[in-house]
Amino acid sequence: MFKFDRKVKNRERKKKGPVWILIYLCLGGFIGTFIGGFIGGYSEKIQDMIVDLGDFIYLYAFEIYVSISLALLAITVVTSLIGRKKFLKSIAKDDEVYDEGLMSVGIGATSLTIIFNFLLLIPAIRTTMEGREGWKFITSLLLLLLIIVICALIQNKLIEDMKKGYPEKRGDVYDMSFKKDLIDSFDEREISHMHEAGYRAFEVASKLMIFLTIGLILLSVIIKINLGLIFSLLAIMATMNITYIYYCIKLENNRA
């Protein structure tokens, strides 16, 4: 056991050494050179593919919006119904740990459905207004309103069902302070899980923004894109990191 621990420590020490840093730099340079050469050799084909994709989205923006929105809504409804059924059955059986996993997914799916609905609405509205297709414009807005109402009703129902298993939980979905009231009713275990999940989300979002920024920079070499997108991602990334550092310092000072 001692020998195994020593091997692990030696391996970790080697990974942190300057040799590994040099290897990572060389590997990054090789990958960057390969990607740059690939883009340079096929820049015209890539540009044509991007233009064709943009034309396709512009031509069928309304249809894409309706199809994806209804598909997400259907997934949310089915997931919520199955999750609610499992949770209530778990309560009825008086399980030691309630089966709430799928129901939690359903609650999260309602928010994601609304978010994607708003994102997809923008190109749909733009194309219908430019094409002077009034019925598509009205249909898009009505679909948005319908999805928001359905998701709000589903979310409220699932929260009320959750309170049946956890009577100490507080909060009303239709109240502006719902999230605050719900978090205030969490116990230490739930707060710990929330903080851990929040940190994981921060890590994933940071890495995603880095890859998106690099992708947009490479894409700007091929076609003309709005550099404001890149600066917006950088601003969000900087805000996240500054906020994270600020609260780390503040929490440490409060502990002292």
Side-chain angles (χ1 to χ4, degrees):
M1 184 68 180
F2 176 74
K3 291 182 179 180
F4 176 76
D5 292 339
R6 187 169 59 184
K7 287 181 180 180
V8 172
K9 290 180 180 179
N10 290 336
R11 194 181 302 120
E12 291 179 350
R13 193 180 297 113
K14 289 179 181 179
K15 286 184 178 181
K16 295 177 182 178
V19 176
W20 280 101
I21 295 176
L22 182 61
I23 292 174
Y24 291 146
L25 289 175
C26 293
L27 183 62
F30 174 76
I31 294 173
T33 303
F34 175 78
I35 294 175
F38 177 80
I39 291 175
Y42 296 92
S43 59
E44 292 185 0
K45 291 183 179 180
I46 296 175
Q47 184 174 359
D48 291 339
M49 290 174 59
I50 294 173
V51 171
D52 291 340
L53 178 62
D55 292 339
F56 177 81
I57 294 175
Y58 179 83
L59 184 62
Y60 298 103
F62 173 76
E63 289 77 7
I64 293 172
Y65 166 72
V66 173
S67 301
I68 296 180
S69 296
L70 291 178
L72 289 174
L73 180 61
I75 293 172
T76 300
V77 172
V78 172
T79 303
S80 300
L81 289 175
I82 298 175
R84 177 176 180 267
K85 183 178 180 180
K86 287 186 175 182
F87 181 71
L88 294 177
K89 186 182 293 185
S90 183
I91 294 176
K93 291 192 300 183
D94 197 20
D95 292 337
E96 185 176 350
V97 178
Y98 295 143
D99 186 0
E100 59 184 276
L102 196 58
M103 190 176 75
S104 299
V105 172
I107 295 175
T110 57
S111 300
L112 289 176
T113 299
I114 294 175
I115 291 172
F116 277 103
N117 196 263
F118 272 108
L119 291 175
L120 295 170
L121 178 69
I122 297 172
I125 291 294
R126 179 181 177 183
T127 54
T128 53
M129 290 181 66
E130 291 180 356
R132 300 183 182 277
E133 297 174 294
W135 70 273
K136 288 185 178 181
F137 177 81
I138 296 174
T139 303
S140 299
L141 294 180
L142 289 176
L143 181 58
L144 171 65
L145 180 61
L146 178 65
I147 288 177
I148 291 176
V149 171
I150 293 176
C151 287
L153 291 173
I154 292 174
Q155 196 173 62
N156 182 67
K157 185 62 179 176
L158 295 180
I159 294 296
E160 293 302 318
D161 288 333
M162 183 184 69
K163 292 178 182 178
K164 295 177 182 178
Y166 306 100
E168 71 277 5
K169 294 293 182 289
R170 301 189 305 274
D172 186 354
V173 172
Y174 304 122
D175 190 352
M176 295 296 291
S177 61
F178 162 68
K179 185 176 291 186
K180 181 180 182 302
D181 294 337
L182 185 64
I183 292 175
D184 289 341
S185 65
F186 284 178
D187 57 26
E188 291 185 2
R189 179 183 62 85
E190 291 170 320
I191 291 176
S192 176
H193 289 174
M194 181 185 68
H195 289 167
E196 177 68 18
Y199 176 71
R200 298 300 179 187
F202 167 78
E203 279 190 319
V204 172
S206 297
K207 292 177 181 178
L208 177 61
M209 287 183 186
I210 291 174
F211 285 121
L212 286 176
T213 302
I214 295 174
L216 288 174
I217 291 174
L218 294 175
L219 191 61
S220 65
V221 178
I222 303 173
I223 61 174
K224 292 182 179 179
I225 62 173
N226 188 355
L227 295 179
L229 294 173
I230 299 175
F231 290 124
S232 297
L233 285 174
L234 292 174
I236 295 173
M237 205 166 12
T239 302
M240 288 174 55
N241 283 274
I242 291 172
T243 304
Y244 176 79
I245 295 171
Y246 168 76
Y247 277 102
C248 284
I249 296 173
K250 183 177 180 180
L251 291 171
E252 188 63 28
N253 292 335
N254 290 340
R255 181 185 297 180

